[in-house]
Amino acid sequence: MTTLVSRPALAGPRTSARGGRRLAVTLAAALVLLLTVLASFALGSRSLPVDQVWHAIVAPDGGEASTIVRELRLPRTALGLAVGVALAVAGVLLQALTRNPLAEPRILGISAGASFGVVLAISVFGVGTLAGYVWFGIGGAVLAGLLVFAVAARAREGASPVTLALVGAALDASLASVVYALLSIDARTFEEYRFWVVGGLTGRDVSVAVQVLPFVLAGLVLAALVARGLDALALGDDVES
């Protein structure tokens, strides 16, 4: 006769305390984000009082303050938020995948793959716009990620987090050397690539945010779809022990 032994449930107060801590951190982060957005609207080469910022947002009158907030600082802030969301989600996904709290896109060679795609677009195909860069960057990142997984899967222990990190670091170094070699022989490619890789929010209008937003939304949808599987992967060590 087989006897089933149930695992004791987690203590109620402990779970409640953890939930309360998460809520407090979330509220604090939301407050910091709100203050940061307000500072982005109010501070600059010309500082604006909070009441003028609020009036420019809810009831623009075409004055100088409204022009500064709505045409200069609002697009810059929206683009910064979109980029910040994309970077945060990318970091969380890779940390869950590799079970490494310090993981980031470079650890799997994804950043180097994107850079290689952009350099290839500039030097070989003569692409010089964001709408053209983004497809080559995405393609390079996807191919680099697939290559890392394909190589890691052939290892004896399979595509474990440690194997993925090692293969990713090797691919990152290899692609980076190719990128630097291409940049060293083409001054125009170097200037274009430097502008792309450094980035910046100054002088960006709302059209740039509109171009970036669909890709960020697509990434968020994909992240939501794979979140459950990544949660199960993160619990792997606890389940095995």
Side-chain angles (χ1 to χ4, degrees):
M1 180 176 180
T2 303
T3 303
L4 298 178
V5 178
S6 61
R7 188 175 180 178
L10 293 176
R14 184 177 179 183
T15 303
S16 177
R18 185 180 302 173
R21 193 160 50 243
R22 285 182 179 177
L23 179 60
V25 171
T26 301
L27 292 177
L31 178 60
V32 172
L33 177 62
L34 180 62
L35 293 176
T36 303
V37 171
L38 181 61
S40 178
F41 288 152
L43 303 179
S45 57
R46 178 184 172 183
S47 299
L48 299 174
V50 175
D51 59 334
Q52 291 188 17
V53 171
W54 177 253
H55 183 74
I57 294 174
V58 300
D61 56 6
E64 186 177 8
S66 297
T67 301
I68 292 174
V69 172
R70 297 182 68 87
E71 296 185 10
L72 298 177
R73 296 179 182 176
L74 180 59
R76 176 188 67 189
T77 303
L79 182 59
L81 289 174
V83 173
V85 168
L87 292 175
V89 172
V92 169
L93 289 176
L94 289 175
Q95 288 170 12
L97 180 63
T98 61
R99 283 176 269 181
N100 183 347
L102 300 178
E104 44 92 20
R106 285 193 60 186
I107 200 171
L108 293 184
I110 294 175
S111 293
S115 297
F116 177 74
V118 171
V119 169
L120 196 67
I122 298 171
S123 61
V124 177
F125 299 99
V127 178
T129 63
L130 174 62
Y133 289 156
V134 66
W135 297 109
F136 284 88
I138 292 175
V142 170
L143 291 176
L146 291 176
L147 181 59
V148 168
F149 274 99
V151 174
R154 298 177 65 87
R156 182 169 53 186
E157 64 274 14
S160 66
V162 175
T163 305
L164 288 173
L166 292 175
V167 175
L171 182 63
D172 178 81
S174 301
L175 289 179
S177 63
V178 176
V179 168
Y180 294 144
L182 292 174
L183 294 177
S184 65
I185 61 177
D186 190 342
R188 186 187 68 85
T189 301
F190 175 76
E191 291 298 326
E192 292 275 356
Y193 173 78
R194 184 177 62 175
F195 178 78
W196 173 81
V197 74
V198 173
L201 301 176
T202 304
R204 300 292 190 270
D205 56 23
V206 70
S207 64
V208 179
V210 171
Q211 292 180 53
V212 171
L213 189 59
F215 298 97
V216 176
L217 293 177
L220 291 177
V221 171
L222 292 174
L225 292 176
V226 302
R228 187 178 298 275
L230 291 177
D231 286 342
L233 178 65
L235 290 173
D237 292 338
D238 294 336
V239 173
E240 292 173 2
S241 60

